[in-house]
Amino acid sequence: MDGQEVYYVEVLLPLHLPGTYTYRVPRELNGEVSVGKRVVVQFGQKRMYSALVRRIHTEAPKWRTKYILSVLDERPLVTERQMLFWEWMAAYYMCYPGDVMAVALPAGMKLASESAVSIHPDFDGDLSRLTKYELQVVNLLTEYSTMKLDDISRAIGVQKIMPLMRGMIEREVVMMDEELRERFKPRKSTYVRLSEAYAGEEAQRRLFDDLEAKKRTKQVDLLMQYMQMSGFGKELVPKRELPQVSALQTLIKNGVLVTEEREESRLEHFDADSLVPVESIKLNEEQQAAYSLLSSPLSPHTTHLLHGVTSSGKTEVYIKIIDEQVRAGKQVLFLLPEIALTAQIINRLRRHFGDKVGVYHSRFSASQRVEVWRRTATDNEEARYQVLLGARSAVFLPFRDLGLVIVDEEHDASYKQQDPAPRYHGRDAAVYLAHLWGAHTVLGSATPSIESYHNAMEGKYGLAVMAHRYGGFNLPKVEVVDMKTATRQGEVHGHFSDKLLRAIRDALAARQQVILFQNRRGFSLRLECDDCHHIPQCVHCDVSLVYHKATNSLRCHYCGYSIPVPEECPACHSTHLRMTGIGTERVEEDLQIMFPEARVARMDLDSTLQKNQYIELLNDFAQRRIDILVGTQMVTKGLDFEHVSVVGIVNADNLINYPNFRSFERAYQQMTQVSGRAGRHGDAGQVIIQTYNPGHQILQKVEDNDYEGLYHDQDNERRVFRYPPYYRLVEITLKHRDNEVVSAAADWFATELRGAFGQRVMGPEYPLVSRIRALYLKTITVRFERNEAIADAKKLMMQMADELVKQDGWARVAIHFDVDPC
């Protein structure tokens, strides 16, 4: 850029706003600005943000523009290919690029202004008119010049700081400004090394002789300890590992030892000495055939579906094709649906690829995620991650040369982002990302989504099949228990059939482990009055409150609202209250009573809130410190445990009887996946499914492991009833605090949509839960045939939404678009 030319930049802000915004570049920054770098800009009257430069030009706008304030990066943070990916995601999932930017960048790289307080330049210095707390504030600002509001509040011991500050601002004692703060700070540690003056053996001998002659015993002892730790001065020693005594400070003060600060990683280090060569993995015939197809340069497909039954050895095939890419200097993205799965896969990949494996997910701190981001994009090939493992957000990492994308458990609904926008599907976004790079994609699952299998059947994807378990082990035996018959015959105790209890007892006697699946958390699903049948409801959402025994409270699983358990019915004051339905908490307690000698643990959202708690649970189960693991869908994923012989599904009916076009598909997937945890390393396991509808077609298909039958049934139904994969769905949700307002707005919107799209429009209607967090909801669904180009239709729908909020009384109606809803 010419140093004298006047330049303008189009910048992207991490806000829910359309398009980019134009700023002028100060001439002194002409040489620093480039596309993909972050710049600080003022947006509005006082707010400042770090924005991304999208375009640089010399076309002066017709309006007056603000200047960018500074450039934050030495090199572009975001590449052109990433920008294209963001723009595709915004267009496809019907949101703004700023929405994508807000989700894509780690929090540590997004700067926003914060209130900073300083002495007002017109303050006359008269302290006599200040109160006690005001005087403390002025004294602090005299010492520190500027301080954050929170810091002042803590320093003077006043929680409600704003009333105090408002009075001081009005009298021009202090002023409040907006200041940007970089959230990411590299972790630094102090290291100790021997001064160069004592580098040789002769100099070190004289040093020790001198200290001993002066009877500096403590300094001699500490110096000897340092010499042993540093290999006689050859290596740096962390200061924290040396005794923090006065002798250390004296040696540093006298120049014998020298300190220096070095940047230190927050990420876990893996010992490269224990690497296992990939060549040691021996594939069986089915695995070899799959590997040959997936890695063949002659294949006409860039995307393949790997359909392998549970425990067929898909991970070994993944490792083989990853190794090819790593040897070629390419990067690999390995997506998993749940963070809980990463612990086992990380260990398996690091056994072969060591520190070339990076992990990226939401349980990492903001600083850890920034480190992973930087190590993905670094020019230093030794430090660069080549295998990136993570949940759906890992698609946003700044790859340098992506050669392969693997989406394991591709069917899983956890890949779909629900809120906030963009409401993207990690699997579909990964396929498009691979397309941008010209990379290959492998979608793996024992129970593929209907859409992916349909693409394979239609020839859009390649298909590799592994129909047998690795090692020749048999699939588990599935038994369906009719709970109606068992109840009549007195063969049910609590919520467990005699057959399930016997299987658990036999497994424990044989020192085997058990997994029980109940897809409801909490203790009881509702509290009901026997007299008037009143059920306590959430005040913010149209759902009943779930009883949690651990906190003795009734809680809403949508907004978190909770109340103590009432002693009497709030409606009729009866004391005849009873708990109905069961959750994982109740199952856990009942098992502890029935099997007091067994070690029972629970794995659900409530029990894994703390960081790394899920890893500890899985490690304890793997080390056989837990005998019975009770869980929600977390236990249905691709976990691999050697000693699980029994899997029980406590209530299959609540999986099947769900009002969604995917309910049969999801029920089959969850039951088959959790069944696959049994008998993975030995004798065929046993799976017991409890149901009040044993003749249901889905249960029959799970029992027979008949995925093909499931696919053909669902494929035919979806063709007839116009659902994916034959149609694309766009679900539009309108939200407002007033039910009448949202209903009127939804009616208007539906009428406008019908004028443009006719019979493709369904609704408006109330969803299953029609009020969440005090907002009433109405939904409209628009169907498009799969072969239709709908980019223009999406733009038109967004324009209609913009028109809606411009009308009187509807400005606060929130409109959310969900493309390809789950």
Side-chain angles (χ1 to χ4, degrees):
M1 291 169 58
D2 187 337
Q4 298 306 310
E5 185 73 70
V6 176
Y7 288 99
Y8 297 87
V9 290
E10 303 296 324
V11 301
L12 188 63
L13 289 158
L15 302 171
H16 181 66
L17 295 169
T20 56
Y21 290 81
T22 307
Y23 286 82
R24 184 171 171 178
V25 181
R27 282 192 173 89
E28 62 270 20
L29 295 180
N30 278 1
E32 298 182 37
V33 173
S34 62
V35 172
K37 285 186 179 181
R38 291 175 302 167
V39 294
V40 177
V41 298
Q42 182 180 344
F43 189 74
Q45 292 297 314
K46 286 199 169 184
R47 301 291 290 175
M48 289 188 289
Y49 293 92
S50 57
L52 273 172
V53 177
R54 185 66 189 98
R55 190 168 73 91
I56 303 170
H57 59 85
T58 58
E59 306 154 17
K62 296 178 181 178
W63 57 90
R64 184 180 177 186
T65 58
K66 297 175 183 176
Y67 284 90
I68 64 170
L69 303 177
S70 64
V71 180
L72 295 174
D73 303 307
E74 293 182 4
R75 52 171 288 175
L77 185 71
V78 177
T79 65
E80 178 66 21
R81 197 179 261 114
Q82 280 177 281
M83 293 277 199
L84 292 173
F85 180 58
W86 292 5
E87 288 164 1
W88 167 83
M89 184 171 282
Y92 187 85
Y93 289 105
M94 300 179 71
C95 62
Y96 298 133
D99 295 325
V100 183
M101 176 184 173
V103 170
L105 285 184
M109 288 178 168
K110 290 179 289 190
L111 283 69
S113 52
E114 296 182 0
S115 296
V117 181
S118 58
I119 298 290
H120 197 288
D122 295 333
F123 176 50
D124 58 12
D126 183 4
L127 304 181
S128 62
R129 59 191 178 97
L130 302 180
T131 66
K132 168 189 169 184
Y133 289 121
E134 289 175 342
L135 183 60
Q136 290 183 36
V137 172
V138 170
N139 288 337
L140 282 168
L141 295 176
T142 302
E143 184 175 353
Y144 295 107
S145 73
T146 63
M147 289 185 71
K148 299 291 185 295
L149 277 175
D150 288 347
D151 295 336
I152 294 174
S153 175
R154 283 192 294 269
I156 68 175
V158 175
Q159 286 188 336
K160 295 183 177 179
I161 193 72
M162 278 311 297
L164 174 69
M165 300 310 302
R166 195 174 295 116
M168 296 180 73
I169 291 168
E170 289 172 356
R171 301 196 323 268
E172 295 188 344
V173 178
V174 299
M175 59 183 288
M176 195 179 296
D177 204 350
E178 298 293 320
E179 180 180 287
L180 280 178
R181 184 178 69 174
E182 178 76 69
R183 297 181 188 178
F184 173 75
K185 291 183 179 178
R187 175 186 285 175
K188 293 185 178 180
S189 292
T190 303
Y191 286 81
V192 176
R193 62 176 174 82
L194 193 65
S195 170
E196 293 180 4
Y198 303 102
E201 289 185 20
E202 182 61 28
Q204 291 172 14
R205 185 183 60 77
R206 287 198 304 269
L207 171 62
F208 277 102
D209 289 345
D210 183 49
L211 291 174
E212 287 172 351
K214 295 177 180 177
K215 297 183 178 179
R216 304 285 195 263
T217 307
K218 292 182 179 179
Q219 292 183 38
V220 170
D221 291 344
L222 191 139
L223 199 56
M224 281 299 299
Q225 185 174 348
Y226 164 79
M227 287 295 192
Q228 291 173 355
M229 294 173 68
S230 66
F232 290 91
K234 294 177 182 177
E235 298 176 5
L236 294 171
V237 175
K239 185 181 177 183
R240 63 178 177 271
E241 294 182 8
L242 292 168
Q244 302 301 302
V245 293
S246 58
L248 175 61
Q249 300 305 321
T250 303
L251 288 169
I252 293 171
K253 182 179 178 182
N254 293 339
V256 176
L257 296 177
V258 179
T259 61
E260 62 179 73
E261 278 198 338
R262 290 199 170 187
E263 192 171 317
E264 197 172 69
S265 175
R266 293 175 170 86
L267 304 172
E268 182 184 1
H269 175 72
F270 185 84
D271 185 6
D273 293 338
S274 59
L275 290 183
V276 177
V278 174
E279 292 77 13
S280 64
I281 297 175
K282 304 301 179 187
L283 303 181
N284 63 25
E285 189 175 327
E286 274 191 336
Q287 287 175 315
Q288 185 61 48
Y291 166 67
S292 299
L293 176 64
L294 299 178
S295 61
S296 172
L298 302 178
S299 172
H301 303 101
T302 56
T303 302
H304 287 85
L305 175 63
L306 176 57
H307 181 197
V309 298
T310 55
S311 195
S312 58
K314 292 186 289 293
T315 304
E316 285 76 13
V317 177
Y318 294 153
I319 291 170
K320 285 282 192 179
I321 58 176
I322 288 170
D323 185 53
E324 281 191 357
Q325 298 296 323
V326 170
R327 290 176 183 274
K330 302 275 189 178
Q331 287 176 305
V332 177
L333 172 61
F334 194 126
L335 290 185
L336 291 161
E338 288 275 0
I339 298 166
L341 284 177
T342 60
Q344 285 193 331
I345 298 294
I346 289 166
N347 292 335
R348 294 185 72 175
L349 292 180
R350 282 188 170 162
R351 285 180 60 203
H352 301 288
F353 304 109
D355 274 345
K356 291 293 183 184
V357 178
V359 184
Y360 190 81
H361 55 62
S362 60
R363 291 288 177 99
F364 272 7
S365 69
S367 296
Q368 285 176 314
R369 276 178 275 174
V370 171
E371 278 199 47
V372 176
W373 181 284
R374 290 182 168 183
R375 286 190 60 177
T376 304
T378 181
D379 290 327
N380 183 345
E381 293 185 7
E382 290 300 315
R384 186 188 304 156
Y385 284 137
Q386 282 188 268
V387 183
L388 279 305
L389 185 73
R392 60 177 179 260
S393 59
V395 297
F396 297 115
L397 285 168
F399 300 100
R400 294 295 301 273
D401 193 1
L402 186 63
L404 173 67
V405 174
I406 296 172
V407 185
D408 197 23
E409 308 295 346
E410 64 84 27
H411 66 276
D412 201 286
S414 301
Y415 280 121
K416 186 73 161 77
Q417 162 85 357
Q418 300 299 333
D419 279 305
R423 294 170 182 83
Y424 68 99
H425 199 296
R427 175 198 63 214
D428 299 341
V431 171
Y432 186 80
L433 178 68
H435 165 72
L436 281 178
W437 280 96
H440 286 264
T441 307
V442 176
L443 311 177
S445 177
T447 55
S449 65
I450 299 297
E451 287 91 334
S452 293
Y453 201 76
H454 177 83
N455 285 334
M457 293 295 97
E458 294 291 307
K460 184 177 178 181
Y461 294 169
L463 177 64
V465 178
M466 297 195 301
H468 302 89
R469 282 190 157 184
Y470 184 81
F473 300 129
N474 293 323
L475 287 167
K477 179 184 177 184
V478 178
E479 297 180 71
V480 176
V481 176
D482 182 352
M483 293 295 282
K484 284 190 293 188
T485 302
T487 301
R488 284 198 304 268
Q489 296 175 352
E491 296 176 353
V492 173
H493 294 82
H495 300 281
F496 306 104
S497 64
D498 283 354
K499 182 167 284 189
L500 178 56
L501 292 174
R502 279 196 304 273
I504 294 173
R505 196 173 292 113
D506 292 345
L508 295 176
R511 292 187 46 78
Q512 296 293 300
Q513 293 173 294
V514 177
I515 290 178
L516 291 187
F517 173 45
Q518 171 64 8
N519 204 30
R520 293 285 188 276
R521 58 192 174 99
F523 189 86
S524 292
L525 303 187
R526 65 192 68 84
L527 180 70
E528 185 173 353
C529 173
D530 270 342
D531 292 341
C532 72
H533 300 288
H534 171 80
I535 298 173
Q537 301 282 312
C538 176
V539 298
H540 306 299
C541 311
D542 285 343
V543 294
S544 57
L545 297 174
V546 177
Y547 174 54
H548 286 254
K549 188 171 183 179
T551 56
N552 195 34
S553 64
L554 299 175
R555 192 188 311 167
C556 173
H557 287 174
Y558 282 85
C559 71
Y561 170 78
S562 67
I563 59 171
V565 177
E567 295 181 358
E568 60 178 30
C569 174
C572 71
H573 305 291
S574 167
T575 55
H576 300 149
L577 304 176
R578 64 186 175 90
M579 304 291 181
T580 60
I582 62 167
T584 49
E585 206 175 342
R586 175 68 179 272
V587 173
E588 179 189 25
E589 181 177 286
D590 288 353
L591 289 169
Q592 288 169 340
I593 295 170
M594 293 177 173
F595 302 99
E597 75 286 355
R599 295 161 295 184
V600 184
R602 173 167 48 91
M603 187 174 177
D604 57 22
L605 185 63
D606 298 319
S607 66
T608 57
L609 286 174
Q610 295 181 12
K611 185 177 181 181
N612 295 330
Q613 203 165 6
Y614 66 95
I615 295 178
E616 294 171 10
L617 265 174
L618 294 177
N619 285 340
D620 286 345
F621 195 63
Q623 298 299 320
R624 305 180 75 176
R625 291 190 285 268
I626 295 171
D627 299 311
I628 306 174
L629 182 64
V630 179
T632 55
Q633 60 179 358
M634 287 184 174
V635 301
T636 70
K637 316 295 182 178
L639 301 172
D640 187 5
F641 297 109
E642 186 174 350
H643 301 287
V644 175
S645 63
V646 172
V647 165
I649 298 173
V650 179
N651 184 356
D653 300 321
N654 62 21
L655 298 173
I656 299 168
N657 301 323
Y658 190 79
N660 185 286
F661 74 92
R662 297 184 193 274
S663 61
F664 286 4
E665 175 190 4
R666 292 272 164 76
Y668 177 89
Q669 288 167 342
Q670 289 187 328
M671 286 190 276
T672 301
Q673 288 286 340
V674 75
S675 299
R677 303 314 108 207
R680 295 174 69 91
H681 294 270
D683 295 335
Q686 186 178 10
V687 179
I688 297 173
I689 302 174
Q690 299 186 157
T691 177
Y692 287 89
N693 188 8
H696 197 284
Q697 56 174 305
I698 292 302
L699 295 175
Q700 295 297 318
K701 287 178 170 51
V702 172
E703 202 169 3
D704 299 336
N705 192 37
D706 183 15
Y707 176 81
E708 291 285 337
L710 170 84
Y711 167 73
H712 289 300
D713 287 351
Q714 291 297 300
D715 192 64
N716 288 333
E717 281 189 18
R718 305 236 184 131
R719 181 190 296 109
V720 172
F721 293 106
R722 299 190 301 162
Y723 281 112
Y726 294 97
Y727 284 77
R728 293 187 185 277
L729 303 183
V730 178
E731 188 174 272
I732 307 165
T733 303
L734 291 84
K735 301 181 181 182
H736 195 272
R737 291 187 177 277
D738 189 318
N739 189 26
E740 292 184 3
V741 170
V742 77
S743 293
D747 289 341
W748 180 91
F749 201 2
T751 300
E752 293 296 306
L753 287 168
R754 284 195 177 90
F757 306 117
Q759 295 303 309
R760 294 183 179 90
V761 180
M762 297 182 295
E765 59 188 8
Y766 289 107
L768 186 64
V769 180
S770 59
R771 186 172 61 113
I772 297 176
R773 297 184 180 91
L775 295 174
Y776 290 93
L777 281 61
K778 275 288 190 76
T779 61
I780 303 168
T781 303
V782 187
R783 306 178 196 256
F784 296 97
E785 289 188 9
R786 195 75 181 181
N787 56 7
E788 284 185 272
I790 63 171
D792 290 339
K794 289 178 179 178
K795 291 178 184 176
L796 180 57
M797 284 188 277
M798 293 185 73
Q799 288 170 10
M800 290 178 182
D802 291 340
E803 286 298 318
L804 185 151
V805 297
K806 291 176 183 176
Q807 302 198 32
D808 290 342
W810 294 348
R812 294 188 177 275
V813 174
I815 305 172
H816 295 167
F817 293 97
D818 190 359
V819 180
D820 304 333
C822 276

